[in-house]
Structure formats: structure tokens, C-alpha cells
DNA sequence: CATGTTTGTTAGTAAACCTTACGAACGAAA
DNA sequence: TTTCGTTCGTAAGGTTTACTAACAAACATG
């Protein structure tokens, strides 16, 4: 045989096969493919799904009957458009049959929880003050909030998604979360045991970037900067979240910015990003400047200067990341009154001036449209992805 | 049904299914799995492969007979170890049946080519001076070198791998390579047409990082910095190369370092990484300092200072990337007399001092062991991956 | 009212892996 | 020397999957 006759691999599908594949895995893949297609577009007939997925009508029918048996898909009557041929039976995900429970543990003092629809809409929400609880007390507070939210659900719960600050591994163990006083806290396993529901625990910034991807119309490569009590990042490359070898990807709060020192940080270093950009630092600086200002105009100018400098610092630290990953889309999440103005303008300006113009010409930086629910919705995406393969 | 009864997906296998799967895809996956297992470990029996892959002996036998029919696998007699039972028939990839042709176009003035074995060993190599050729003339030079190397092969050629400087897209079109005077040069398609062989063209730094991964024992997450006439990076996350949305990932040469200006760069900005770190800049600076030095000791001290500062600059620009991606392994490729000493020591020191110590404590930075053949071997990895699914 | 089109289903086929069973070849123990 | 248990590779038959082909139902249109 000739060399050119050497076989092509499924390289486009998965770079290297890491496990054997059996016929039943085919079924799972195609089943999920159909579910995903239905989830994204909604209201389609079996024939539509066949055309969209490339499967035959026969196979789609078979998969749909399986999904209907599990109450995941329902028929919604016949299509009304006047067309030749037998009218199509419209299908959709049974969007009201299940609900998702999400918790956001990233608030410095207050934990939030919500019941969400399968579409990611917040149906009801509640909160609980952490009241300085740490360690096991913090866990108890989380469990109490979770019980509250579960009780508020009005349909079977598909699963529980939780966005936690700190370093969270793939098994949902919170390796380190200083604010909650947790080290190696097996939150996912404990809550799964406690509730009997499927639970997924992820880092809050990673949850946020998933929400932006699924509900914010973001592209496959996306960097989300979450500014709050601390500063963290969530990174999506090729539609996949990046976790890092020690699950600490996105932990850029304590990376030093620039070569001219800067404010002292709680971690002991000078000029960390968090020392420039965290909400407490910014509000304190603005407060001080406003108090010292002679006129309202002076105060406004001083405020703008502070935000511009913070934005510039963010741009300085992001420039190498944007260059190395060739990122085109950056999203900011946090208080819009701080981020959405002089700060983000300075960040874009700094990024453009410090990277190759030809590559960053179409770089976009914007605020998230998800508002404060971004972590809750991202945690719901994790549940959808884990339970249905859909997102 | 209950929510917990909702089906699990193949999420661990592939985040979201993007295409239908047919029975024949199973075959391809398992066939590649067997080939890969054999490629990495070598000299195994069918029963060994069955145990290793999880497939049954029956299936492995069937796949092996298919692979033997394509001359990709051969039998090598019976295992000699005294064990109970029927002795095993040892198998291996037919490593001498095919060879790989690689080109490295990243040299500023000289193009290199080589014939490699399936194991990535350089069997013979040759070179051709670019002699200032640009555009179509540069293409002709590449084609001439390729013909030379192909003629030197002593077995059927599995494919041609090429590492090119500049921005290369997934189809092997060189979007922009200033040194060669190429814009939107469809190098892969042209050379494939010309030679009738499968051709893969990738960016030189991306090829290098693949070589380090496959032959250098590197982990799944890896950043390779290639220092030459310019400075580029290749990035591997989860064992997959990162290309970027505009295929410009790793183009960090013209990202500005620090907040204190720096040398003027050819691109017009001040303080670009390339202005600190490229080989021409370093050698010129060292030359000047040596000439100005009063004593050999002064010269040595000045040289060390220059290299230390360059290393510090590299550390400054890598710190945000290392933090954002939680990288633990960085490899340098380039002239060891410049990189392997004060420079890399300063880079590690700077990285440690500018990122979270707890996360970068086990960060390693080292020179590549691949030497100057790194791009050639990486290009060969591309061929192995594309043609056999093996690497 | 006949015709063509579209939908969803039924029946049968091909491909892939699996389980079960078997002969061949070997070491160890009776 | 013979018997037994082990291991290897192969053969036969079964299961799962999706495909092709064919068809009835339901509709629009000329």
C-alpha cells in the first residue's frame, strides 16, 4: 500500500482516543445531540431534527420516543403553517417538567440561592447572611440555604449547581476558600449525600463564564473578569472551561501588575491586581478622594482618575494573556457603576496600545448582561451540561 | 420519573456532541486506540492490548488483522519469557515501513529539512539558504528543499510536516509571515498538490510545543517560549494545542512588558518583549557591553546583567499568563548560551515573586532537550497525529 | 378530484462490539 | 509420563445501533 493510503483518523472529533467506544456510546452521543438541538432551537418536528442533525427520521423518531418516555420531551400539537404534505408534529424540551437549584457563595457577606427554569430564568430567589460563619458553620449555613431553595421548587429538581469562591477541583472539592474558611471541603459530595440530588460545585468565575457563553451569546473563546471583594477570572477556550493543572486557573488577583510597585496587598506583595481593582479598594479610594475634593467637579475628576488607573492596570495584566491566547472577547462582571465607564475604556485603550494592533483590532470588551445572577445562571449551566449534555 | 433518574451524558468523553456518530466511527476510534497503545508501549501481544484498552481479545484481533493488512503493524515472533499457557505473539508498529518528511522554515536565513522515523528520530537532514528570497521566490526555495528531502527518504513517506513562522490557520494557509514575505499563502494545499503527499503546515512554536509534549515527557499543560530572530510561544492545554480565534495564539513578541518603557521595537512600540529578548537584540547588547568593558570580569558581569534583565522581562510578561492558566511547566527553546543560565534563573525568580506562591511553588522552567530539531520533530508529530491518530 | 409533497412508522440490512466456546501451546504437579 | 490449569488467539452467534426502502396518513394545489 502507499503512504497516502494510510487511514485518516477521527482527529477532528477528538485529538487522541483515550477510551474504547461501544455501540451504546453512539446512542448516548446522538441522543444528546438531538436533545441539544431541541434545547437551542425549540419547537421542531422530528423531520426538522433529522435534517439538522444529519440523522435519519427513523433514528430521530426512536430517540425522541425514548426521551418522551423520560418526560424530557413533549409533543406540542401540529404545525399550523399551510404547507403541502402531512403536517409536522412539533416537539420541545419539556421545559416546565424540571427546575434547577443554584447557589452563589461568592458574596462576601451574603449567600444567594435561586430556583431556575431549564432556560436559565430565575423563578424565585432567596438569600442568607453568612454572619461571619466560617468552616463547618459556613457549611451549615450553605446547607440551610440549600434546603430553603429546594423547598421553593415547584417541579422535580434536575440538579443543584453551586458557584463557590476559591479553588475548586473537578470533583467539587473546595480546595481552598479563605473567606469561607474551607480547606479541602468536599462540598459536592456532602451536599449530594445530604439532598440525594445531583450536585455540581464549581468556581464562581468559571460558573460566570459559562453563563456568559450559554446565555450571553458569547463566542467560543472568552475571558470573564469578575470584580468583587476579590478579583478572579473565568476562561473559556474552544467552548471549554479551563481549570488549570491545580484547578487554580483564573486566580489572577494576586499577580503583580507593572514594574512600578503599587499599593500594598493583603497577601504581602505590592501592586497585586486586587490591590488596584477590588471593589473595597476602589470604593475606599473614591471615598477618600471625594472627601478631600474641594468641589463636586474635583471629586468627579478624582473619581474618574482612580477608575482610569484601575482600568489601565487591568489592561496591563490582560495584555500578555490576550496576546498569548489571541482572545477577542473580554467580559466584565461586577458593579457597573465602577466598571462600566472610565475603567473599561481605559482597559481597552491599554490593551490596544500594548498588543499587536493587527490582532487586537476587533477586540471587544463589555459588561455582562447577566447582572448579579451570572453565577447562579452559570451554576445552572453546569447542571444542564452534567445531566442532559445540553447548554 | 424522578429528576435524579435523568440520564447521564458522555460529558466526560466530549463536552457537547457536535456531530452524529455512526458505527463506523466506533471502529475508527478503537482502531486508533489500539494503534496508539502499540505506538507508545511497543512489543505487546493481542491479549496485552486487550487488557490495556479494555476491548476484548476478539475485537483487538480483528483490528490488528486490519492494521497488518495495511502494513502498519507487524508480528515479531513469540514472547520468550517462561510463563504458563500458550506463548504470546508479539506485535509492534511497523516502524521501518514509513518515514516522515519535515521542514523547519523558522530559521531567519536558512531553511532546514529532515527525514524522520516514526519514532521522531532524525534519519537524515539537509538545509537550503533562503538568500533573501521572499514571496514566490521563497515558496520556490521551500519546494526545492522539500523535493531534496523527499528524494532522501528510504521508505514510503507517511506525510510531510512543516513548521512555518508567522500566523498559520487550520487549513495550513500562512496568513502572514513577514520574514518570508507571505500573506495568505496556501502552503499546505500547494505542496500537497505538488507532491501528492499529505502535508500539514503549522506555526513553528506550535510545532515545537507538540514535540516537547510527545518526545520531551512534558505534561498536558505546557507553555513553550521560542526565542530566535523573534519571540513566539506555543501553548498546550489539556494536551491540545491552542490556536486562538485568529490563529495568532502565542504571538507575544510584540506585547509591551512593564510600565517603564524600554527599548524601541521595530514595530514602533517601546518595550516589546522582542525588543528585550530576541537573539539579535541580546547578542548586540552583549557585544556592545563587552566592547565597552575594561576587564574580562567587567564584561562577564555586564553580560550577566543583560541576561538577567531579559529574563526578568520574560517573567513579567509570563506571570499573568501563568496565573490565568495555572501553568506549572514552561520550556525554553533557543540558543542555550543565552537562555540557559542567568536568564532562565531570573525568569523563574520573577515568576515566583509576582504570582501566588502557593500555586507556583512547583512551577518548573527548563530548556528543551530537543535542541535545534524541535520544530522538525514537532512537525512530524503533526503528521503522526493526522495520519495515524498517534503521538 | 387527482397529483405531488411531507411526515412519521414499519420492516429488513449492515456494521460494530460483545459473550461464549474451543483448540493450541505451555508450565507445574501427580 | 500424564494430567491439570493457564494463557493465547480464533470462531460462532447474539445484541445494539443506525441505515435504506417502502408505506400510509394528511395536506396543498391545479
Amino acid at each position: 500500500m502507499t503512504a497516502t493510503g494510510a487511514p485518516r483518523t477521527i482527529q477532528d472529533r477528538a485529538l487522541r482516543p483515550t477510551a474504547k467506544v461501544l455501540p451504546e456510546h453512539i446512542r448516548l452521543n446522538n441522543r444528546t445531540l438531538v436533545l441539544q438541538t431541541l434545547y437551542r432551537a425549540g419547537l421542531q418536528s422530528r423531520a426538522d431534527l433529522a435534517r439538522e442533525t444529519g440523522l435519519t427520521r427513523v433514528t430521530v423518531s426512536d430517540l425522541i420516543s425514548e426521551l418522551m418516555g423520560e418526560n424530557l420531551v413533549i409533543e406540542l400539537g401540529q404545525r399550523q403553517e399551510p404547507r403541502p404534505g402531512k403536517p409536522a408534529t412539533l416537539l420541545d424540551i419539556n421545559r416546565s417538567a424540571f427546575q434547577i437549584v443554584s447557589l452563589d457563595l461568592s458574596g462576601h457577606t451574603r449567600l444567594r440561592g435561586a430556583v431556575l427554569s431549564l432556560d436559565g430564568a430565575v423563578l424565585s430567589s432567596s438569600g442568607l447572611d453568612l454572619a461571619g460563619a466560617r468552616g463547618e458553620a459556613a457549611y451549615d449555613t450553605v446547607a440551610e440555604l440549600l434546603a430553603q431553595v429546594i423547598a421553593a421548587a415547584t417541579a422535580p429538581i434536575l440538579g443543584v449547581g453551586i458557584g463557590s469562591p476559591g479553588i475548586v477541583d473537578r470533583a467539587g472539592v473546595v480546595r481552598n476558600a479563605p473567606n469561607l474558611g474551607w480547606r479541602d471541603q468536599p462540598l459536592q459530595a456532602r451536599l449530594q449525600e445530604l439532598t440525594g440530588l445531583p450536585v455540581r460545585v464549581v468556581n464562581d468565575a468559571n460558573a460566570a463564564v459559562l453563563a456568559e457563553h450559554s446565555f450571553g451569546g458569547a463566542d467560543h473563546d472568552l475571558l470573564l473578569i469578575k470584580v468583587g471583594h476579590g478579583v478572579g477570572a473565568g476562561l473559556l477556550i474552544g467552548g471549554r472551561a479551563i481549570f488549570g493543572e491545580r484547578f487554580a486557573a483564573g486566580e489572577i488577583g494576586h499577580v503583580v501588575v507593572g514594574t512600578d510597585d503599587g499599593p500594598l496587598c493583603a497577601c504581602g506583595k505590592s501592586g497585586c491586581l486586587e490591590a488596584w481593582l477590588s471593589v473595597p479598594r476602589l470604593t475606599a479610594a473614591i471615598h477618600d478622594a471625594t472627601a478631600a475634593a474641594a468641589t463636586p467637579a474635583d471629586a468627579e475628576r478624582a473619581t474618574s482618575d482612580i477608575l482610569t488607573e484601575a482600568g489601565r492596570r487591568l489592561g496591563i495584566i490582560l495584555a500578555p494573556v490576550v496576546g498569548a491566547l489571541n482572545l477577542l472577547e473580554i467580559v466584565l462582571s461586577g458593579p457597573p457603576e465602577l466598571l462600566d465607564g472610565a475603567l473599561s475604556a481605559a482597559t481597552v485603550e491599554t490593551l490596544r496600545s500594548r498588543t499587536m494592533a493587527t490582532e487586537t483590532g476587533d477586540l471587544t470588551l463589555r459588561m455582562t448582561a447577566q447582572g448579579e445572577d451570572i453565577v447562579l445562571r452559570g451554576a445552572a449551566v453546569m447542571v444542564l451540561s452534567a445531566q442532559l449534555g445540553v447548554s
Side-chain angles (χ1 to χ4, degrees), chain A:
Chain A
M1 62 166 289
T2 68
T4 49
R8 306 300 307 276
T9 69
I10 54 170
Q11 190 218 355
D12 293 333
R13 189 171 301 275
L15 198 59
R16 257 173 300 173
T18 56
K20 66 172 175 177
V21 174
L22 302 179
E24 67 212 62
H25 296 129
I26 295 193
R27 185 74 167 180
L28 199 46
N29 182 302
N30 290 341
R31 178 198 141 104
T32 304
L33 180 62
V34 166
L35 203 57
Q36 160 116 340
T37 307
L38 204 48
Y39 180 78
R40 298 179 88 91
L43 272 196
Q44 292 166 90
S45 68
R46 292 168 175 85
D48 293 334
L49 287 168
R51 277 184 291 266
E52 180 70 20
T53 61
L55 297 163
T56 61
R57 292 199 307 271
V58 180
T59 303
V60 170
S61 277
D62 198 36
L63 288 166
I64 288 293
S65 77
E66 181 182 310
L67 290 167
M68 287 177 63
E70 294 172 22
N71 199 24
L72 282 168
V73 169
I74 50 174
E75 291 189 339
L76 288 169
Q78 298 194 331
R79 179 178 277 143
Q80 294 303 333
E81 302 166 26
R83 287 201 299 183
K86 176 180 173 180
T89 310
L90 291 175
L91 305 168
D92 197 4
I93 301 271
N94 192 350
R95 293 174 198 266
S96 61
F98 297 100
Q99 291 174 349
I100 298 171
V101 165
S102 285
L103 301 186
D104 176 2
L105 313 183
S106 69
H108 186 52
T109 56
R110 188 168 176 78
L111 309 180
R112 298 187 61 220
V115 178
L116 291 90
S117 71
L118 294 190
D119 297 312
V122 175
L123 302 176
S124 71
S125 70
S126 54
L128 204 54
D129 272 328
L130 197 52
R134 294 168 53 81
E136 198 59 17
Y139 170 80
D140 291 339
T141 309
V142 170
E144 184 186 338
L145 175 61
L146 179 54
Q148 274 183 31
V149 182
I150 286 174
T154 57
I157 295 169
L158 186 66
V160 176
I162 301 180
S164 167
I167 293 167
V168 184
D169 70 17
R170 278 205 161 75
V173 176
V174 181
R175 297 286 185 92
N176 186 16
N179 189 44
L180 295 163
W182 287 345
R183 284 200 75 89
D184 295 325
Q185 167 74 259
L187 192 62
Q188 179 172 308
R190 290 183 75 181
L191 293 177
Q192 191 152 326
E193 172 75 19
L194 183 71
T195 62
L197 294 168
V199 177
R200 298 286 298 184
V201 179
V202 289
N203 172 271
D204 59 334
N206 276 320
V209 79
L210 287 173
E212 195 62 34
H213 179 56
S214 292
F215 302 123
D219 213 334
H220 286 293
D221 287 27
L222 172 64
L223 176 64
L224 182 137
I225 306 292
K226 189 164 179 293
V227 180
H229 192 75
V231 177
L235 186 53
L236 210 72
I237 296 181
R240 307 169 82 98
I242 303 296
F243 292 98
E245 288 214 83
R246 296 280 184 275
F247 313 106
E251 298 290 321
I252 57 170
H254 295 285
V255 174
V256 176
V257 188
T259 47
D260 53 356
D261 262 16
L264 188 67
C265 179
C267 74
K269 300 198 294 292
S270 286
C272 287
L273 181 62
E274 223 166 272
W276 289 104
L277 198 64
S278 74
V279 169
R281 293 284 191 151
L282 284 177
T283 49
I286 290 171
H287 180 268
D288 291 354
T290 305
T295 68
D298 280 358
E300 194 167 318
R301 204 171 307 120
T303 299
S304 173
D305 286 351
I306 289 168
L307 294 175
T308 299
E309 181 60 12
R312 195 174 79 89
R313 293 289 163 171
L314 179 59
I316 290 170
I317 214 165
L318 291 186
V321 180
V322 166
L325 297 172
N326 188 213
L327 290 171
L328 299 183
E329 191 168 14
I330 300 173
V331 173
L332 300 182
S333 168
E337 67 274 15
L338 293 176
L339 304 181
D340 194 10
L343 194 151
S344 59
T347 302
V348 173
E349 167 59 26
T350 306
L351 275 171
R352 294 240 162 89
S353 68
R354 293 176 76 93
T355 57
M356 281 225 293
T358 52
E359 308 310 327
T360 55
D362 36 9
L363 178 102
T364 64
L365 184 146
R366 58 179 172 82
M367 288 296 297
T368 175
Q370 311 293 314
E372 298 200 344
D373 295 334
I374 188 166
V375 174
L376 293 170
R377 302 186 80 186
V381 170
M382 287 301 298
V383 173
L384 284 167
S385 176
Q387 299 306 117
L388 305 181
V390 152
S391 60

